[in-house]
């Protein structure tokens, strides 16, 4: 199977942590593997670095699925970005947000975990299997279908 750079990065990352199936995914397991501390609080989600240690803050009032999605978004910032966004030009901040969102879709629902099931998957199955919201699962399903369509069209 052809993997994008993001898909390969996520696959290599998760396999290095011995995360191989959807049941292995979760905030605690990924945070421990990355040595990231997670705190719940009343404000929006964010990631910070203090004294070389990363901390992700998640809104305590959000449900588990939203917390997982926001956690993976913040992990994207930790792994791919440096510095404080508020000091960046707006266009760079928007780019980083887009990249973190894209990363989140791939970390929440890794392509390599779908290799045997892609044709049989529905958004509801993705939602339940990967503990994400329905809209998130629909968007990821669209990404997978788009990739499959592009890959097929390149075969001819």
């Amino acid at each position: 199977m052809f993997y994008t750079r993001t898909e390969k990065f996520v696959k290599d990352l998760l396999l290095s942590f011995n995360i191989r199936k959807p049941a292995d995914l979760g905030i605690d397991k990924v945070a421990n593997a990355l040595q990231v501390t997670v705190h719940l609080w009343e404000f929006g989600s964010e990631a910070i670095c203090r004294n070389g240690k990363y901390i992700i803050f998640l809104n305590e009032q959000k449900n588990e699925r939203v917390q997982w999605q926001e956690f993976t978004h913040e992990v994207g910032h930790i792994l791919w970005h440096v510095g404080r966004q508020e000091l960046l030009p707006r266009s760079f901040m928007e780019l980083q947000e887009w990249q973190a969102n894209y990363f989140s879709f791939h970390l929440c629902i890794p392509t390599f975990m779908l290799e045997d099931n892609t044709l049989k998957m529905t958004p509801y199955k993705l939602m339940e299997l990967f503990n994400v919201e329905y809209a998130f699962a629909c968007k990821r399903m669209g990404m997978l279908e788009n990739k499959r369509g592009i890959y097929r069209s390149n075969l001819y």
Side-chain angles (χ1 to χ4, degrees):
M1 166 173 271
F2 168 76
Y3 287 111
T4 65
R5 274 190 258 176
T6 302
E7 289 169 326
K8 181 165 178 15
F9 180 89
V10 167
K11 180 180 181 181
D12 292 345
L13 178 73
L14 293 177
L15 292 178
S16 75
F17 300 147
N18 201 31
I19 297 174
R20 302 179 180 287
K21 56 189 184 300
D24 296 337
L25 290 167
I27 292 173
D28 291 339
K29 181 117 182 193
V30 175
N32 288 336
L34 290 171
Q35 298 179 349
V36 170
T37 302
V38 177
H39 290 290
L40 298 178
W41 69 345
E42 61 187 282
F43 305 106
S45 299
E46 67 178 72
I48 64 167
C49 182
R50 291 282 185 256
N51 301 320
K53 296 212 171 240
Y54 289 97
I55 303 168
I56 293 178
F57 294 92
L58 299 173
N59 185 294
E60 63 193 358
Q61 297 172 352
K62 303 255 176 117
N63 68 52
E64 186 180 309
R65 292 174 194 268
V66 173
Q67 286 178 350
W68 169 236
Q69 292 163 197
E70 291 184 1
F71 170 79
T72 59
H73 173 96
E74 298 304 333
V75 168
H77 285 304
I78 287 172
L79 294 176
W80 287 0
H81 304 136
V82 175
R84 296 174 53 191
Q85 269 192 343
E86 64 268 16
L87 303 176
L88 294 174
R90 183 174 177 82
S91 59
F92 287 129
M93 188 175 74
E94 289 171 355
L95 173 63
Q96 285 189 350
E97 286 305 308
W98 183 90
Q99 290 171 332
N101 285 334
Y102 185 77
F103 180 84
S104 177
F105 282 109
H106 287 83
L107 185 55
C108 281
I109 306 175
T111 304
F112 79 95
M113 292 186 186
L114 297 170
E115 289 176 338
D116 297 332
N117 301 313
T118 312
L119 297 176
K120 299 173 253 171
M121 278 294 154
T122 66
Y124 284 111
K125 287 181 183 177
L126 287 178
M127 183 179 102
E128 292 305 315
L129 192 59
F130 292 96
N131 197 32
V132 295
E133 292 189 301
Y134 179 75
F136 190 97
C138 287
K139 174 87 173 173
R140 184 66 173 107
M141 191 78 172
M143 293 166 77
L144 291 161
E145 289 170 355
N146 186 46
K147 180 184 174 192
R148 202 168 31 238
I150 291 170
Y151 180 71
R152 257 188 295 221
S153 69
N154 287 336
L155 292 176
Y156 300 104

